[in-house]
């Protein structure tokens, strides 16, 4: 997508050496655009755990390139053991988004299928590149399918603007290109359908305020930033036509784990008879589990993310405490929206009711 008028991906191999890769430091956006070079698998793991990169698809692709770097670093004769060790390091970075574990699994399968060190390096590089390319194409297809929902609303509203509410950042910054929840929006815009996006600020990390509003602005999409508690009010007053979020893990029965607060938006949407969709590639589906509330591990993060807000003050990135210093904090990163509140799931294969997700993959 466009970043200061240039088409960009969120992650790319060093074009000359292919011995490192580059990402943007998302912790600084939208205030500063800084490119970070990742030169080792350990650095890739740190970039995921400290949220230099974030978003389920992007952390999967980052882990894939991290394991490619692990093949370059591995001691002679000890490649498989080293890969297993670095795979475990990467897998331990964040527990909820399953794309991470999916990508690590794909990489380990590919690397162990080769015998010589040179072949393992070659297959690791090719597989990581393929995981990236597939993510781009899956996100594009999510947009092609999701466009039909926005077109229907547009026709029903006789050409009036379609109002979409989204939570967190499930845009191209969370993926490689297009995004998941944003892809139907970008496709609608290309199709000439007028769209407007309500952007939840998404405390505590403010991915909506910092990232979604930034990337929508960069693409020239009409949007309005709202405090997290605003969505229900807008829905009661007919100001939201559809809710589209991303997902970090979806169970075989269609329960959706996504950024904390998503469940409350789904409840409000249900109460107001507004369709609630989750948009995701197949790498976000965990076919091994069914009950998301019981079976999905929810990341708990440092309390300072809640105690402090971060923003620009006098041109400097500043952290400001908003409560007494020793206030006890609970900081759950994600919640689970049960399938009964989900109207449909948009994937690269099409749109299905949550209970019918499997039908897209047979
Ligand atoms: O903690 P993050 O920023 O990695 O979480 C990302 C999300 O939860 C997003 O909402 C998203 O829907 C999943 S990534 C497309």
């Amino acid at each position: 997508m466009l970043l200061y008028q240039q088409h960009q991906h969120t992650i790319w191999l060093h074009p000359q050496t292919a011995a490192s890769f580059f990402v943007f430091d998302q912790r600084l956006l939208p205030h500063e655009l800084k490119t970070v070079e990742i030169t080792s698998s350990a650095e890739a793991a740190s970039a995921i755990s400290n949220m230099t990169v974030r978003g389920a698809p992007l952390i999967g692709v980052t882990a894939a390139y991290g394991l490619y770097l692990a093949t370059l670093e591995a001691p002679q004769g000890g490649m498989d053991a080293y890969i297993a060790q670095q795979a475990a390091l990467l897998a331990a970075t964040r527990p909820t988004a399953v794309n991470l574990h999916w990508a690590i699994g794909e990489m380990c399968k590919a690397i162990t299928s080769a015998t010589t060190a040179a072949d393992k390096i070659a297959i690791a590089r090719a597989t990581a590149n393929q995981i990236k390319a597939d993510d781009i194409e899956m996100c594009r297809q999510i947009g092609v399918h999701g466009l039909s929902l926005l077109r229907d609303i547009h026709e029903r509203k006789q050409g009036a603007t379609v109002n979409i509410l989204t939570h967190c950042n499930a845009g191209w910054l969370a993926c490689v290109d297009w995004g998941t929840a944003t892809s139907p929006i970008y496709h609608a815009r290309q199709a000439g359908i007028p769209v407007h996006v309500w952007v939840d600020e998404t405390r505590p990390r403010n991915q909506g305020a910092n990232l979604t509003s930034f990337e929508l602005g960069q693409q020239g999409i009409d949007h309005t930033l709202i405090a997290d508690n605003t969505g229900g009010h807008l829905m009661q007053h007919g100001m939201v036509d559809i809710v589209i979020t991303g997902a970090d893990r979806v169970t075989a029965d269609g329960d959706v784990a996504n950024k904390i607060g998503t469940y409350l938006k789904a409840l409000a949407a249900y109460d107001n008879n507004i369709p609630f969709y989750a948009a995701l590639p197949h790498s976000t589906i965990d076919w091994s589990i069914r009950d998301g509330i019981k079976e999905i591990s929810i990341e708990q993060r440092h309390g300072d993310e809640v105690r402090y807000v971060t923003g620009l003050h006098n041109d400097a990135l500043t952290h400001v405490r908003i409560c007494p210093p020793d206030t006890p904090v609970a900081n759950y990163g994600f919640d689970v929206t049960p399938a009964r509140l989900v109207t449909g799931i948009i994937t690269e294969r099409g749109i299905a009711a949550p209970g019918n997700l499997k039908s897209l993959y047979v």
Side-chain angles (χ1 to χ4, degrees), residues 62-79:
T62 303
Y65 280 115
L67 280 177
Y68 159 61
L69 297 188
T71 63
L72 302 177
E73 287 138 33
Q76 272 196 348
M79 172 92 83

mmCIF file with all atom_site columns, all heavy atoms in Angstrom, residues 62-79:
data_model
loop_
_atom_site.group_PDB
_atom_site.id
_atom_site.type_symbol
_atom_site.label_atom_id
_atom_site.label_alt_id
_atom_site.label_comp_id
_atom_site.label_asym_id
_atom_site.label_entity_id
_atom_site.label_seq_id
_atom_site.pdbx_PDB_ins_code
_atom_site.Cartn_x
_atom_site.Cartn_y
_atom_site.Cartn_z
_atom_site.occupancy
_atom_site.B_iso_or_equiv
_atom_site.pdbx_formal_charge
_atom_site.auth_seq_id
_atom_site.auth_comp_id
_atom_site.auth_asym_id
_atom_site.auth_atom_id
_atom_site.pdbx_PDB_model_num
ATOM 1   N N   . THR A 1 62 ? 7.542  -12.452 9.819  1.00 0.00 ? 62 THR A N   1
ATOM 2   C CA  . THR A 1 62 ? 8.803  -12.083 10.498 1.00 0.00 ? 62 THR A CA  1
ATOM 3   C C   . THR A 1 62 ? 9.483  -13.330 11.070 1.00 0.00 ? 62 THR A C   1
ATOM 4   O O   . THR A 1 62 ? 10.709 -13.492 10.952 1.00 0.00 ? 62 THR A O   1
ATOM 5   C CB  . THR A 1 62 ? 8.517  -11.059 11.631 1.00 0.00 ? 62 THR A CB  1
ATOM 6   O OG1 . THR A 1 62 ? 7.855  -9.932  11.069 1.00 0.00 ? 62 THR A OG1 1
ATOM 7   C CG2 . THR A 1 62 ? 9.792  -10.620 12.320 1.00 0.00 ? 62 THR A CG2 1
ATOM 8   N N   . ALA A 1 63 ? 8.688  -14.211 11.656 1.00 0.00 ? 63 ALA A N   1
ATOM 9   C CA  . ALA A 1 63 ? 9.270  -15.454 12.195 1.00 0.00 ? 63 ALA A CA  1
ATOM 10  C C   . ALA A 1 63 ? 9.842  -16.302 11.064 1.00 0.00 ? 63 ALA A C   1
ATOM 11  O O   . ALA A 1 63 ? 10.899 -16.941 11.216 1.00 0.00 ? 63 ALA A O   1
ATOM 12  C CB  . ALA A 1 63 ? 8.205  -16.228 12.970 1.00 0.00 ? 63 ALA A CB  1
ATOM 13  N N   . ALA A 1 64 ? 9.165  -16.296 9.911  1.00 0.00 ? 64 ALA A N   1
ATOM 14  C CA  . ALA A 1 64 ? 9.658  -17.086 8.772  1.00 0.00 ? 64 ALA A CA  1
ATOM 15  C C   . ALA A 1 64 ? 11.031 -16.572 8.332  1.00 0.00 ? 64 ALA A C   1
ATOM 16  O O   . ALA A 1 64 ? 11.987 -17.354 8.176  1.00 0.00 ? 64 ALA A O   1
ATOM 17  C CB  . ALA A 1 64 ? 8.657  -17.011 7.617  1.00 0.00 ? 64 ALA A CB  1
ATOM 18  N N   . TYR A 1 65 ? 11.157 -15.257 8.169  1.00 0.00 ? 65 TYR A N   1
ATOM 19  C CA  . TYR A 1 65 ? 12.475 -14.717 7.787  1.00 0.00 ? 65 TYR A CA  1
ATOM 20  C C   . TYR A 1 65 ? 13.479 -14.899 8.929  1.00 0.00 ? 65 TYR A C   1
ATOM 21  O O   . TYR A 1 65 ? 14.677 -15.090 8.685  1.00 0.00 ? 65 TYR A O   1
ATOM 22  C CB  . TYR A 1 65 ? 12.360 -13.246 7.371  1.00 0.00 ? 65 TYR A CB  1
ATOM 23  C CG  . TYR A 1 65 ? 11.853 -13.095 5.946  1.00 0.00 ? 65 TYR A CG  1
ATOM 24  C CD1 . TYR A 1 65 ? 10.630 -12.499 5.678  1.00 0.00 ? 65 TYR A CD1 1
ATOM 25  C CD2 . TYR A 1 65 ? 12.590 -13.582 4.870  1.00 0.00 ? 65 TYR A CD2 1
ATOM 26  C CE1 . TYR A 1 65 ? 10.155 -12.375 4.369  1.00 0.00 ? 65 TYR A CE1 1
ATOM 27  C CE2 . TYR A 1 65 ? 12.126 -13.472 3.564  1.00 0.00 ? 65 TYR A CE2 1
ATOM 28  C CZ  . TYR A 1 65 ? 10.913 -12.863 3.317  1.00 0.00 ? 65 TYR A CZ  1
ATOM 29  O OH  . TYR A 1 65 ? 10.453 -12.756 2.030  1.00 0.00 ? 65 TYR A OH  1
ATOM 30  N N   . GLY A 1 66 ? 13.006 -14.858 10.158 1.00 0.00 ? 66 GLY A N   1
ATOM 31  C CA  . GLY A 1 66 ? 13.903 -15.105 11.294 1.00 0.00 ? 66 GLY A CA  1
ATOM 32  C C   . GLY A 1 66 ? 14.507 -16.501 11.211 1.00 0.00 ? 66 GLY A C   1
ATOM 33  O O   . GLY A 1 66 ? 15.704 -16.694 11.447 1.00 0.00 ? 66 GLY A O   1
ATOM 34  N N   . LEU A 1 67 ? 13.687 -17.471 10.831 1.00 0.00 ? 67 LEU A N   1
ATOM 35  C CA  . LEU A 1 67 ? 14.212 -18.844 10.737 1.00 0.00 ? 67 LEU A CA  1
ATOM 36  C C   . LEU A 1 67 ? 15.115 -19.004 9.520  1.00 0.00 ? 67 LEU A C   1
ATOM 37  O O   . LEU A 1 67 ? 16.061 -19.796 9.540  1.00 0.00 ? 67 LEU A O   1
ATOM 38  C CB  . LEU A 1 67 ? 13.061 -19.849 10.707 1.00 0.00 ? 67 LEU A CB  1
ATOM 39  C CG  . LEU A 1 67 ? 12.480 -20.143 12.095 1.00 0.00 ? 67 LEU A CG  1
ATOM 40  C CD1 . LEU A 1 67 ? 11.304 -21.095 12.000 1.00 0.00 ? 67 LEU A CD1 1
ATOM 41  C CD2 . LEU A 1 67 ? 13.548 -20.730 13.032 1.00 0.00 ? 67 LEU A CD2 1
ATOM 42  N N   . TYR A 1 68 ? 14.839 -18.232 8.469  1.00 0.00 ? 68 TYR A N   1
ATOM 43  C CA  . TYR A 1 68 ? 15.785 -18.230 7.340  1.00 0.00 ? 68 TYR A CA  1
ATOM 44  C C   . TYR A 1 68 ? 17.146 -17.724 7.831  1.00 0.00 ? 68 TYR A C   1
ATOM 45  O O   . TYR A 1 68 ? 18.187 -18.341 7.538  1.00 0.00 ? 68 TYR A O   1
ATOM 46  C CB  . TYR A 1 68 ? 15.235 -17.379 6.192  1.00 0.00 ? 68 TYR A CB  1
ATOM 47  C CG  . TYR A 1 68 ? 16.291 -16.903 5.239  1.00 0.00 ? 68 TYR A CG  1
ATOM 48  C CD1 . TYR A 1 68 ? 17.074 -17.826 4.520  1.00 0.00 ? 68 TYR A CD1 1
ATOM 49  C CD2 . TYR A 1 68 ? 16.555 -15.540 5.074  1.00 0.00 ? 68 TYR A CD2 1
ATOM 50  C CE1 . TYR A 1 68 ? 18.079 -17.385 3.656  1.00 0.00 ? 68 TYR A CE1 1
ATOM 51  C CE2 . TYR A 1 68 ? 17.547 -15.100 4.214  1.00 0.00 ? 68 TYR A CE2 1
ATOM 52  C CZ  . TYR A 1 68 ? 18.307 -16.027 3.521  1.00 0.00 ? 68 TYR A CZ  1
ATOM 53  O OH  . TYR A 1 68 ? 19.309 -15.592 2.681  1.00 0.00 ? 68 TYR A OH  1
ATOM 54  N N   . LEU A 1 69 ? 17.139 -16.632 8.610  1.00 0.00 ? 69 LEU A N   1
ATOM 55  C CA  . LEU A 1 69 ? 18.422 -16.137 9.141  1.00 0.00 ? 69 LEU A CA  1
ATOM 56  C C   . LEU A 1 69 ? 19.077 -17.182 10.041 1.00 0.00 ? 69 LEU A C   1
ATOM 57  O O   . LEU A 1 69 ? 20.309 -17.298 10.077 1.00 0.00 ? 69 LEU A O   1
ATOM 58  C CB  . LEU A 1 69 ? 18.231 -14.824 9.913  1.00 0.00 ? 69 LEU A CB  1
ATOM 59  C CG  . LEU A 1 69 ? 17.719 -13.610 9.123  1.00 0.00 ? 69 LEU A CG  1
ATOM 60  C CD1 . LEU A 1 69 ? 17.769 -12.347 9.991  1.00 0.00 ? 69 LEU A CD1 1
ATOM 61  C CD2 . LEU A 1 69 ? 18.514 -13.385 7.837  1.00 0.00 ? 69 LEU A CD2 1
ATOM 62  N N   . ALA A 1 70 ? 18.247 -17.952 10.748 1.00 0.00 ? 70 ALA A N   1
ATOM 63  C CA  . ALA A 1 70 ? 18.804 -19.014 11.609 1.00 0.00 ? 70 ALA A CA  1
ATOM 64  C C   . ALA A 1 70 ? 19.583 -20.030 10.775 1.00 0.00 ? 70 ALA A C   1
ATOM 65  O O   . ALA A 1 70 ? 20.611 -20.559 11.217 1.00 0.00 ? 70 ALA A O   1
ATOM 66  C CB  . ALA A 1 70 ? 17.690 -19.695 12.400 1.00 0.00 ? 70 ALA A CB  1
ATOM 67  N N   . THR A 1 71 ? 19.137 -20.296 9.550  1.00 0.00 ? 71 THR A N   1
ATOM 68  C CA  . THR A 1 71 ? 19.886 -21.256 8.712  1.00 0.00 ? 71 THR A CA  1
ATOM 69  C C   . THR A 1 71 ? 21.248 -20.678 8.339  1.00 0.00 ? 71 THR A C   1
ATOM 70  O O   . THR A 1 71 ? 22.207 -21.427 8.154  1.00 0.00 ? 71 THR A O   1
ATOM 71  C CB  . THR A 1 71 ? 19.116 -21.642 7.418  1.00 0.00 ? 71 THR A CB  1
ATOM 72  O OG1 . THR A 1 71 ? 18.931 -20.476 6.590  1.00 0.00 ? 71 THR A OG1 1
ATOM 73  C CG2 . THR A 1 71 ? 17.787 -22.304 7.709  1.00 0.00 ? 71 THR A CG2 1
ATOM 74  N N   . LEU A 1 72 ? 21.334 -19.348 8.235  1.00 0.00 ? 72 LEU A N   1
ATOM 75  C CA  . LEU A 1 72 ? 22.626 -18.728 7.895  1.00 0.00 ? 72 LEU A CA  1
ATOM 76  C C   . LEU A 1 72 ? 23.567 -18.736 9.094  1.00 0.00 ? 72 LEU A C   1
ATOM 77  O O   . LEU A 1 72 ? 24.785 -18.767 8.944  1.00 0.00 ? 72 LEU A O   1
ATOM 78  C CB  . LEU A 1 72 ? 22.429 -17.280 7.421  1.00 0.00 ? 72 LEU A CB  1
ATOM 79  C CG  . LEU A 1 72 ? 21.513 -17.039 6.218  1.00 0.00 ? 72 LEU A CG  1
ATOM 80  C CD1 . LEU A 1 72 ? 21.376 -15.542 5.921  1.00 0.00 ? 72 LEU A CD1 1
ATOM 81  C CD2 . LEU A 1 72 ? 22.030 -17.769 4.984  1.00 0.00 ? 72 LEU A CD2 1
ATOM 82  N N   . GLU A 1 73 ? 22.968 -18.670 10.300 1.00 0.00 ? 73 GLU A N   1
ATOM 83  C CA  . GLU A 1 73 ? 23.787 -18.569 11.521 1.00 0.00 ? 73 GLU A CA  1
ATOM 84  C C   . GLU A 1 73 ? 24.192 -19.924 12.090 1.00 0.00 ? 73 GLU A C   1
ATOM 85  O O   . GLU A 1 73 ? 25.067 -19.999 12.942 1.00 0.00 ? 73 GLU A O   1
ATOM 86  C CB  . GLU A 1 73 ? 22.962 -17.991 12.652 1.00 0.00 ? 73 GLU A CB  1
ATOM 87  C CG  . GLU A 1 73 ? 22.518 -16.711 12.862 1.00 0.00 ? 73 GLU A CG  1
ATOM 88  C CD  . GLU A 1 73 ? 21.121 -16.417 13.363 1.00 0.00 ? 73 GLU A CD  1
ATOM 89  O OE1 . GLU A 1 73 ? 20.494 -17.150 14.156 1.00 0.00 ? 73 GLU A OE1 1
ATOM 90  O OE2 . GLU A 1 73 ? 20.688 -15.377 12.940 1.00 0.00 ? 73 GLU A OE2 1
ATOM 91  N N   . ALA A 1 74 ? 23.504 -20.976 11.677 1.00 0.00 ? 74 ALA A N   1
ATOM 92  C CA  . ALA A 1 74 ? 23.627 -22.273 12.366 1.00 0.00 ? 74 ALA A CA  1
ATOM 93  C C   . ALA A 1 74 ? 25.047 -22.818 12.318 1.00 0.00 ? 74 ALA A C   1
ATOM 94  O O   . ALA A 1 74 ? 25.736 -22.667 11.300 1.00 0.00 ? 74 ALA A O   1
ATOM 95  C CB  . ALA A 1 74 ? 22.673 -23.269 11.721 1.00 0.00 ? 74 ALA A CB  1
ATOM 96  N N   . PRO A 1 75 ? 25.499 -23.441 13.410 1.00 0.00 ? 75 PRO A N   1
ATOM 97  C CA  . PRO A 1 75 ? 26.842 -24.040 13.392 1.00 0.00 ? 75 PRO A CA  1
ATOM 98  C C   . PRO A 1 75 ? 26.892 -25.224 12.438 1.00 0.00 ? 75 PRO A C   1
ATOM 99  O O   . PRO A 1 75 ? 25.892 -25.906 12.240 1.00 0.00 ? 75 PRO A O   1
ATOM 100 C CB  . PRO A 1 75 ? 27.040 -24.506 14.839 1.00 0.00 ? 75 PRO A CB  1
ATOM 101 C CG  . PRO A 1 75 ? 25.670 -24.632 15.402 1.00 0.00 ? 75 PRO A CG  1
ATOM 102 C CD  . PRO A 1 75 ? 24.791 -23.671 14.658 1.00 0.00 ? 75 PRO A CD  1
ATOM 103 N N   . GLN A 1 76 ? 28.085 -25.439 11.852 1.00 0.00 ? 76 GLN A N   1
ATOM 104 C CA  . GLN A 1 76 ? 28.235 -26.562 10.912 1.00 0.00 ? 76 GLN A CA  1
ATOM 105 C C   . GLN A 1 76 ? 27.887 -27.871 11.598 1.00 0.00 ? 76 GLN A C   1
ATOM 106 O O   . GLN A 1 76 ? 28.318 -28.127 12.718 1.00 0.00 ? 76 GLN A O   1
ATOM 107 C CB  . GLN A 1 76 ? 29.685 -26.628 10.432 1.00 0.00 ? 76 GLN A CB  1
ATOM 108 C CG  . GLN A 1 76 ? 29.904 -25.770 9.213  1.00 0.00 ? 76 GLN A CG  1
ATOM 109 C CD  . GLN A 1 76 ? 31.196 -26.128 8.499  1.00 0.00 ? 76 GLN A CD  1
ATOM 110 O OE1 . GLN A 1 76 ? 32.028 -26.858 9.026  1.00 0.00 ? 76 GLN A OE1 1
ATOM 111 N NE2 . GLN A 1 76 ? 31.351 -25.615 7.290  1.00 0.00 ? 76 GLN A NE2 1
ATOM 112 N N   . GLY A 1 77 ? 27.101 -28.681 10.949 1.00 0.00 ? 77 GLY A N   1
ATOM 113 C CA  . GLY A 1 77 ? 26.773 -30.003 11.489 1.00 0.00 ? 77 GLY A CA  1
ATOM 114 C C   . GLY A 1 77 ? 25.655 -29.961 12.518 1.00 0.00 ? 77 GLY A C   1
ATOM 115 O O   . GLY A 1 77 ? 25.136 -31.002 12.909 1.00 0.00 ? 77 GLY A O   1
ATOM 116 N N   . GLY A 1 78 ? 25.296 -28.757 12.973 1.00 0.00 ? 78 GLY A N   1
ATOM 117 C CA  . GLY A 1 78 ? 24.257 -28.704 14.015 1.00 0.00 ? 78 GLY A CA  1
ATOM 118 C C   . GLY A 1 78 ? 23.037 -27.917 13.578 1.00 0.00 ? 78 GLY A C   1
ATOM 119 O O   . GLY A 1 78 ? 22.334 -27.328 14.411 1.00 0.00 ? 78 GLY A O   1
ATOM 120 N N   . MET A 1 79 ? 22.789 -27.907 12.269 1.00 0.00 ? 79 MET A N   1
ATOM 121 C CA  . MET A 1 79 ? 21.719 -27.043 11.741 1.00 0.00 ? 79 MET A CA  1
ATOM 122 C C   . MET A 1 79 ? 20.356 -27.375 12.333 1.00 0.00 ? 79 MET A C   1
ATOM 123 O O   . MET A 1 79 ? 19.645 -26.485 12.810 1.00 0.00 ? 79 MET A O   1
ATOM 124 C CB  . MET A 1 79 ? 21.695 -27.163 10.212 1.00 0.00 ? 79 MET A CB  1
ATOM 125 C CG  . MET A 1 79 ? 20.539 -26.480 9.551  1.00 0.00 ? 79 MET A CG  1
ATOM 126 S SD  . MET A 1 79 ? 20.831 -24.797 9.040  1.00 0.00 ? 79 MET A SD  1
ATOM 127 C CE  . MET A 1 79 ? 21.653 -24.941 7.475  1.00 0.00 ? 79 MET A CE  1
#
